[in-house]
Amino acid sequence: MSSRSRLRSTETKKLRTGGDYLDFANRLLHAKGVAHGQGFLNEQEESLTLMSAATGLAWEKLPQCFKRELTEKERSRFVELLDRRILERIPTAYLIGEAWLGGLKFTVDERVIIPRSYFVELIPEIIPQWLPPVKTIKRVADICTGSGCLAILLAKYFPSAEVDATDLSGEALEVAKINVKKHRLEKRVKLFKTDTMTALMSGKNYDLIISNPPYEPESVYKKLPEEFKKEPKMSLVSEKDGLGVIRKLLKQAGKKLNPTGVLLIEVGGLRKAIHKNWPKLPMVWLATQDGLDCVCLITARDLQKIK
Ligand SMILES: C[S@@+](CC[C@H](N)C(=O)[O-])C[C@H]1O[C@@H](n2cnc3c(N)ncnc32)[C@H](O)[C@@H]1O
């Protein structure tokens, strides 16, 4: 099969069971060099997710189809999804219209980046260690909210807090609105279309501000696999050096934190660049499971030092 032609029926003719189709898909995804990292770690996770969409079986029930013959409808749906994943390089999350983060399901499509932030592991255990007791946290902000996933996770972990979430993309905010509604958080999560924190500057201060901003430099973006270029460019890149939103955020956040508050920013590969640009700004790099440690924490007091 050429890398740009549809799967022919001869290639799937001998396949019968869900297990046959999954093995086939795993081999093909691997052979065709499909890139992972948009909510899935490897081809197995992606093919199981596509199988779940094709059969309507929840993940935990998928073993039911491993040994049984797939129906005609299930086969053609699975092959169609696999075709689009491989040939058009559409990320699996967009093909099925949903993504999971921190045990929660979010609607996603091409208007938003696919959720995969380090904040999912930091919000439940690490961030509260830097704050007064969870129940006393009243105001939280999520800057660059995209699908709204982190704002929603924050609202779940800080049950007494109001969460303000911003994004410059009106399209992303349409998706965030769907997710806020789905999780029944309309009363506590408010969405703002604005550059970084601009629309929040006249309101009350926050106990916690987090942001997973666009941080890829143009040079990195250019080399990303095709799948990643299906995501909105503005969700990945911010100015030539990747620091555009971070620069604004560091200036704005200092004016908007309560005295015991903290700012956390996920910066990807920009750790060195951050130290180079703000050599005197004290920051703590929080440990994450994969050892990348690319989320920095800055206290309200230290942020005051930024002019
Ligand atoms: C890396 S995505 C993060 C989305 C979401 N927080 C997540 O973790 O999945 C960055 C988001 O920042 C938004 N964005 C880009 N430039 C912005 C700006 N100047 N002000 C506010 N949001 C911006 C993009 O539209 C995108 O939704």
Side-chain angles (χ1 to χ4, degrees):
M1 186 178 101
S2 98
S3 62
R4 296 279 149 176
S5 65
R6 300 266 150 203
L7 280 169
R8 289 189 299 267
S9 57
T10 46
E11 287 163 280
T12 51
K13 211 167 89 187
K14 289 191 183 140
L15 308 176
R16 293 275 172 274
T17 65
D20 293 341
Y21 275 87
L22 284 167
D23 287 345
F24 173 77
N26 289 338
R27 281 199 305 275
L28 204 61
L29 288 168
H30 183 73
K32 297 296 173 191
V34 159
H36 310 291
Q38 290 167 297
F40 300 100
L41 294 175
N42 51 44
E43 53 267 18
Q44 283 83 6
E45 285 187 7
E46 297 214 17
S47 53
L48 285 166
T49 303
L50 296 178
M51 185 59 79
S52 171
T55 57
L57 290 168
W59 250 69
E60 59 279 13
K61 292 198 173 154
L62 276 174
Q64 290 176 10
C65 80
F66 289 174
K67 294 215 167 116
R68 78 159 162 83
E69 206 162 307
L70 294 189
T71 65
E72 197 45 52
K73 206 171 150 197
E74 289 169 336
R75 289 172 194 222
S76 65
R77 178 87 181 114
F78 185 72
V79 169
E80 186 199 323
L81 289 169
L82 190 61
D83 252 344
R84 298 198 70 200
R85 179 69 187 91
I86 292 170
L87 302 181
E88 296 168 42
R89 297 283 151 152
I90 298 174
T92 290
Y94 289 160
L95 286 172
I96 64 168
E98 61 189 41
W100 290 81
L101 192 75
L104 300 181
K105 188 159 87 172
F106 299 100
T107 292
V108 294
D109 59 33
E110 282 81 352
R111 291 174 290 179
V112 289
I113 193 170
I114 297 160
R116 51 177 175 273
S117 169
Y118 284 100
F119 279 110
V120 69
E121 52 177 290
L122 299 174
I123 292 172
E125 290 184 14
I126 309 297
I127 296 180
Q129 293 174 21
W130 290 85
L131 293 170
V134 164
K135 279 190 187 153
T136 67
I137 302 300
K138 300 285 182 219
R139 288 183 50 77
V140 172
D142 172 30
I143 310 306
C144 299
T145 199
S147 61
C149 57
L150 299 181
I152 289 166
L153 282 171
L154 285 168
K156 300 263 179 195
Y157 282 103
F158 295 97
S160 315
E162 287 180 0
V163 182
D164 288 345
T166 73
D167 207 289
L168 190 56
S169 158
E171 289 200 327
L173 289 172
E174 286 168 16
V175 179
K177 193 173 170 192
I178 295 171
N179 285 316
V180 169
K181 191 165 179 215
K182 266 192 178 168
H183 289 279
R184 299 183 179 180
L185 285 166
E186 296 105 312
K187 286 207 177 124
R188 282 204 296 129
V189 178
K190 299 277 178 281
L191 302 170
F192 297 82
K193 181 175 183 307
T194 191
D195 185 351
T196 317
M197 294 191 68
T198 307
L200 310 182
M201 297 310 282
S202 55
K204 289 188 205 157
N205 283 0
Y206 297 93
D207 303 305
L208 166 67
I209 301 172
I210 73 162
S211 183
N212 177 20
Y215 51 64
E216 301 296 3
E218 276 285 352
S219 55
V220 173
Y221 179 77
K222 274 189 203 142
K223 293 185 196 140
L224 288 177
E226 217 176 313
E227 286 77 353
F228 290 78
K229 294 191 176 148
K230 299 283 194 269
E231 295 181 309
K233 186 173 179 189
M234 70 180 287
S235 67
L236 293 163
V237 181
S238 179
E239 295 178 13
K240 200 167 173 231
D241 60 1
L243 285 166
V245 173
I246 295 173
R247 262 189 286 270
K248 284 179 211 153
L249 182 56
L250 284 172
K251 278 195 187 147
Q252 294 181 322
K255 302 186 181 87
K256 293 306 300 173
L257 276 174
N258 287 326
T260 56
V262 287
L263 165 71
L264 289 99
I265 317 175
E266 182 167 334
V267 307
L270 293 184
R271 210 173 136 153
K272 264 194 196 156
I274 299 265
H275 282 300
K276 199 171 154 207
N277 279 269
W278 293 274
K280 292 192 180 143
L281 181 62
M283 53 185 73
V284 179
W285 293 95
L286 301 178
T288 50
Q289 279 164 21
D290 66 1
L292 230 70
D293 304 354
C294 66
V295 177
C296 65
L297 178 146
I298 309 162
T299 64
R301 204 177 39 182
D302 288 331
L303 270 177
Q304 309 299 329
K305 295 173 189 159
I306 293 187
K307 295 280 169 267

